[in-house]
Amino acid sequence: MKKIVAVLGFCVLMVTVALAHAPRPGPNGGLMVDAGDYHTELFADGSETVTLFLFDVNDQPVESAGVKANAILIVGGKPARFALEPAGGQKMVGKAPGPVEPGVKGAVQITLPDGATIQAKF
């Protein structure tokens, strides 16, 4: 009986951990994921412009000034790498080599002003 309870407890823990990292809808219409001690939201609408929004762990906006970011997203069936630049407030914007559909798969590497690097996987 104790083994069954232990196994069930472990399963609940694993589901909770998995859900904590699953993409979820963000406040700006994109997908939000964890990135280190931060949260990021990636917005793509089928155009070549991609917007990344930065949040702290409490989902409060984080200023993008001094932040550097590179996106590696699947564009037109192939990996495409491009920079995202601060665009005022918590936004970072970049231009992909082709249309980027909502729900795109890929990752964004973010370098914070203090030199720390975090990664968001979408």
Side-chain angles (χ1 to χ4, degrees):
M1 182 68 172
K2 287 182 183 180
K3 286 184 180 181
I4 292 173
V5 172
V7 168
L8 287 175
F10 178 76
C11 290
V12 169
L13 177 64
M14 290 294 97
V15 168
T16 303
V17 169
L19 290 176
H21 297 289
R24 60 193 185 278
N28 301 292
L31 290 178
M32 185 176 261
V33 298
D34 297 343
D37 292 334
Y38 295 85
H39 296 155
T40 61
E41 178 185 2
L42 186 70
F43 178 78
D45 63 0
S47 70
E48 294 177 348
T49 301
V50 175
T51 305
L52 184 74
F53 297 90
L54 304 173
F55 300 90
D56 66 14
V57 72
N58 296 313
D59 292 336
Q60 296 301 307
V62 171
E63 181 65 37
S64 66
V67 176
K68 297 177 183 177
N70 286 302
I72 303 173
L73 304 177
I74 303 301
V75 178
K78 299 177 184 176
R81 184 181 180 106
F82 57 95
L84 300 167
E85 301 292 333
Q90 72 183 113
K91 289 195 318 187
M92 300 193 74
V93 177
K95 188 169 182 176
V100 180
E101 298 300 322
V104 64
K105 300 295 182 196
V108 178
Q109 184 177 12
I110 303 161
T111 304
L112 302 169
D114 66 0
T117 301
I118 56 175
Q119 187 175 51
K121 295 179 183 178
F122 296 93

